[in-house]
Amino acid sequence: MKRVALAILVLGLAACKEDIATIAPVEMTDEALGHYCQMFVADHPGPKAQVHLKGHSAPLWFSQVSDAVAYMYDPERDAEVMGVFVSDMSRAESWALPGLDNWLASGSAAFVIESDRLGGMGVPEAIPFGSTDAAAAFVADHGGRVVAWDAVPEAYVRPDMAQMSGHQAHAGADQ
């Protein structure tokens, strides 16, 4: 009886490990809609994010990475997050064309925050790079600082919108 219970436990743990191992980014298509804005993600410049949830066949798409960070802080999020992938801006063609398939796991990216570049929705962005060196080079050109995924502050991705007038909120969006 103990052997049967042990076998069931081992198989169950192996199945969980297999589920996590199979999570992979998907290529962004022109039909991908932003989770919050319900606008076409590809229509916005700058880095993107996709969040994979347990029990969901398609990821949630985000028009900018900061929105995905805000989603992770959301206390009303009810599904288990299985994986988060972000655009690798060191492999992007340009700010306007961040790429359809150059994804990296959020935990392995170096993020630039507090730079002079705004995200696709015209608010502060957490800009992901596949290496700390690429992030540091971006900081040299655009200011900011380099942090890890789990060190992007909630206050940064949820700025006090009352403090931002229309012009301030969109300053630099076309840079």
Side-chain angles (χ1 to χ4, degrees), residues 67-92:
D67 288 344
V69 177
Y71 177 80
M72 297 303 290
Y73 281 113
D74 192 340
E76 295 181 16
R77 178 175 44 86
D78 58 1
E80 182 181 347
V81 174
M82 301 300 289
V84 179
F85 300 93
V86 293
S87 303
D88 181 353
M89 292 306 285
S90 62
R91 295 182 4 210

Side-chain angles (χ1 to χ4, degrees), residues 15 29 36 43 45 62 77 86 109 111 120 127 136-137 161 167 171 175:
T29 66
Y36 290 129
D43 288 351
F62 294 88
R77 178 175 44 86
V86 293
F111 293 85
I127 306 161
M161 297 308 285
H167 181 69
Q175 295 177 347

Side-chain angles (χ1 to χ4, degrees), residues 22-83:
T22 61
I23 301 299
V26 297
E27 186 171 308
M28 185 175 65
T29 66
D30 288 339
E31 291 79 34
L33 294 176
H35 176 66
Y36 290 129
C37 64
Q38 293 300 298
M39 298 168 70
F40 292 112
V41 174
D43 288 351
H44 301 280
K48 314 291 180 235
Q50 53 181 282
V51 174
H52 295 255
L53 302 175
K54 186 173 188 172
H56 295 259
S57 60
L60 299 179
W61 291 99
F62 294 88
S63 298
Q64 67 175 54
V65 174
S66 291
D67 288 344
V69 177
Y71 177 80
M72 297 303 290
Y73 281 113
D74 192 340
E76 295 181 16
R77 178 175 44 86
D78 58 1
E80 182 181 347
V81 174
M82 301 300 289

